[in-house]
Every structure is written in structure tokens, then in C-alpha cells.
Amino acid sequence: MIGEIYADALAGATAEIEYVDGTRAALETAHWFEPVDGDEAFLSRCAGPTLDIGSGPGRLTVALTRRGIQTLGIDITPRAVALTRRAGGFALLRDVFDEVPGSGRWATALLADGNIGIGGNPELLLRRVRQLVRPGGEVLVELASPEARSRVDRVRLRRGPLIGDWFGWATVSVSDIQRVARAGGFPSVDRWTTHGRWMARLS
């Protein structure tokens, strides 16, 4: 059901994220299709083969491909993969914790648009990404603001009468990324902000 609701949202349907306390927020998928202010801060730092984790409809995957950077997007939703391919990017239907082509050889991995939250355990996710990038490889992550509280929420997707299963999603503040990165196997952290977005390079 999660994938179905997410796929419908990518097709333009109105969907929401619901928290266990009953709070709801719109699932903003429209901005994942077109360039977003601050994207260049990610794109300009990718100089070698790049893995875009949770690539969605492929905004960054396609942009890097057009720059001549070998890039693979992975996503768990068939519609997202199809949209990426239609736009000219290369994408596969994969969970980051399953087998991923090129494991141990990627120069850069991207966790944009809050994807550090995948699985609800940022340290575990980074340890997995550590296996995917090559020695000396790096991860570019998008983070919450310094004022935000790092946390793990139980959330589900909702579209009208359709309700998905609960799953964990993490928020990591830029103030906490040094600790999280070290626990995930990345001792070096370079942080910056641009266009109201907070980002870091882990190596």
C-alpha cells in the first residue's frame, strides 16, 4: 500500500504523511521533478560514478547523466524508476539494503531530499552506504536545520480512504551529523548551507 500511494502521488494525486499523534502533512512530490534551488551544491561535488539513493522521479540522476557523470538511481517504487528512465536517466528497482550493482565501487552516494531518513536508522543506513562506496568515497547528505531535533518518527502515507502501513523515518539535524557520520563509518564531515537547505559531505 505504501508503494501504491507513493506512486499515485508521483502521478499527481494528493497524498499526506500521517504521524502517530494524528498530525498530517502534505506529501510534496511536485518539487522532485524539476531543479530545486541548491541542487547545484550536490551536483557540482559529483566527479565520479554516483549512486542516487531513493532517487524518486530522477531529478538529480538525470541532471548528472546530462553532465556526463555515470549515475545510477535506485528506488523501491516502479513508477519512480519508470519516470527516471523516461526522463533520460538510468534507474533500477532496488532497496538500498538489498544487492546494488557496483557495490564497493561508487565514488559518491547521494542522500538528498531527506533520504538520510530511509529505514528510520541513520547510522545503519550510513554503514550500508559505506559498503557501497569505494575506499575514499563520500556521501552527500541533505539534513534538517540546526534548530531541528534529530528524531525517528513512525509515519504512514494516506490518500483519501487508502492508508499505508506504519514505517520508521528519521530526521537528522545538521548539528548532529558529526556523531551520526562517525557511527556510520565516516569520520570526516564538511557542512554547508545554501538556499535555505543544509547539506554535508561525509568521507
Side-chain angles (χ1 to χ4, degrees):
M1 184 64 71
I2 293 173
E4 179 183 343
I5 296 173
Y6 176 53
D8 289 345
L10 289 175
T14 299
E16 297 176 303
I17 304 170
E18 182 177 17
Y19 296 81
V20 291
D21 65 359
T23 303
R24 299 184 192 179
L27 180 63
E28 302 284 359
T29 58
H31 77 278
W32 296 338
F33 286 82
E34 300 295 335
V36 178
D37 288 344
D39 279 355
E40 184 60 29
F42 275 128
L43 301 173
S44 63
R45 287 171 167 82
C46 299
T50 298
L51 180 67
D52 186 6
I53 299 168
S55 52
R59 179 180 93 251
L60 298 177
T61 300
V62 172
L64 287 170
T65 300
R66 289 173 177 168
R67 296 181 181 208
I69 302 293
Q70 179 187 350
T71 307
L72 170 66
I74 58 171
D75 202 279
I76 61 171
T77 304
R79 187 184 295 273
V81 171
L83 288 168
T84 301
R85 292 175 176 175
R86 189 181 306 163
F90 183 52
L92 293 174
L93 188 66
R94 290 287 191 283
D95 185 310
V96 65
F97 293 102
D98 293 336
E99 183 178 346
V100 175
S103 180
R105 299 194 298 273
W106 296 101
T108 305
L110 298 181
L111 288 167
D113 299 324
N115 281 338
I116 186 72
I118 290 173
N121 188 329
E123 293 89 350
L124 180 63
L125 175 61
L126 288 178
R127 286 197 292 271
R128 171 56 177 152
V129 177
R130 175 74 274 175
Q131 298 171 339
L132 296 174
V133 298
R134 66 194 185 192
E138 54 192 34
V139 186
L140 301 178
V141 300
E142 186 164 0
L143 303 157
S145 71
E147 296 79 20
R149 178 175 61 88
S150 295
R151 63 189 187 277
V152 177
D153 291 303
R154 296 291 292 173
V155 300
R156 62 185 179 182
L157 300 184
R158 175 187 287 269
R159 182 175 69 79
L162 296 179
I163 302 174
D165 296 328
W166 294 104
F167 61 95
W169 192 267
T171 297
V172 178
S173 168
V174 68
S175 301
D176 292 327
I177 189 57
Q178 187 105 37
R179 170 185 57 81
V180 174
R182 285 177 176 169
F186 294 91
S188 178
V189 176
D190 175 31
R191 292 169 284 194
W192 69 91
T193 183
T194 179
H195 295 87
R197 298 166 69 183
W198 293 86
M199 306 172 181
R201 174 165 50 194
L202 318 182
S203 60

